[in-house]
Amino acid sequence: MRCGPALATLAVLLLAACGGEQLQFVSEKERQCYFEAEAALTDPNTTLQRGRSGVFVEVTRINGFIRDTDSSEVFRTCMASSDTALGPVVVEAAPISFTPQEQTIWNGLSDAQKREALVFIQQGGTLRQFIAS
């Protein structure tokens, strides 16, 4: 009985299924920040995973159950920082529209504040909440 290629294909499929989901990054900056935030984790029960909003969050599991999910400050700070070695960071996201009052607020922010505000908004916040924090 000859089943070499079929067996090899099955083995590849099983390895892919068992290996879990491959991480995909939207930019080199996101990849760099992921590894920086992952290295900063101190609890062996905590991992870095992509949250519903698309950014990485810290997920703590106890006995296989999700116990806590928190924003990763290290990841957020890294994404908000400017790093000229990586060049400009472009992240595809849904367009953001502001009310006239919010546009006035936005226009008054520095470039660094705008980067932080974009990360905050991508995590599900609003510009008004960002200003209030």
Side-chain angles (χ1 to χ4, degrees), residues 118-132:
L118 282 175
V119 170
F120 187 83
I121 292 167
Q122 287 174 341
Q123 292 177 337
T126 66
L127 182 59
R128 291 176 193 259
Q129 292 169 335
F130 173 78
I131 295 301

Side-chain angles (χ1 to χ4, degrees), residues 12-125:
V12 169
L13 290 174
L14 284 174
L15 284 174
C18 294
E21 197 176 304
Q22 280 287 65
L23 285 178
Q24 298 207 356
F25 302 103
V26 296
S27 67
E28 180 61 25
K29 175 80 171 186
E30 185 183 62
R31 187 184 71 72
Q32 173 193 355
C33 292
Y34 170 85
F35 288 113
E36 184 177 319
E38 183 181 52
L41 295 175
T42 56
D43 184 346
N45 295 317
T46 302
T47 58
L48 207 57
Q49 297 178 3
R50 193 174 296 277
R52 287 184 179 154
S53 64
V55 297
F56 287 96
V57 295
E58 296 176 7
V59 177
T60 303
R61 292 181 185 269
I62 306 294
N63 295 327
F65 294 99
I66 293 178
R67 192 75 174 153
D68 192 21
T69 302
D70 288 320
S71 171
S72 173
E73 281 300 309
V74 175
F75 181 81
R76 188 185 69 74
T77 302
C78 178
M79 287 299 288
S81 71
S82 62
D83 187 346
T84 54
L86 290 176
V89 176
V90 177
V91 177
E92 289 186 33
I96 298 173
S97 59
F98 296 124
T99 65
Q101 183 183 19
E102 289 171 331
Q103 187 65 50
T104 302
I105 293 169
W106 178 260
N107 292 342
L109 297 176
S110 69
D111 287 344
Q113 289 171 319
K114 286 179 181 177
R115 282 190 296 274
E116 289 178 23
L118 282 175
V119 170
F120 187 83
I121 292 167
Q122 287 174 341
Q123 292 177 337

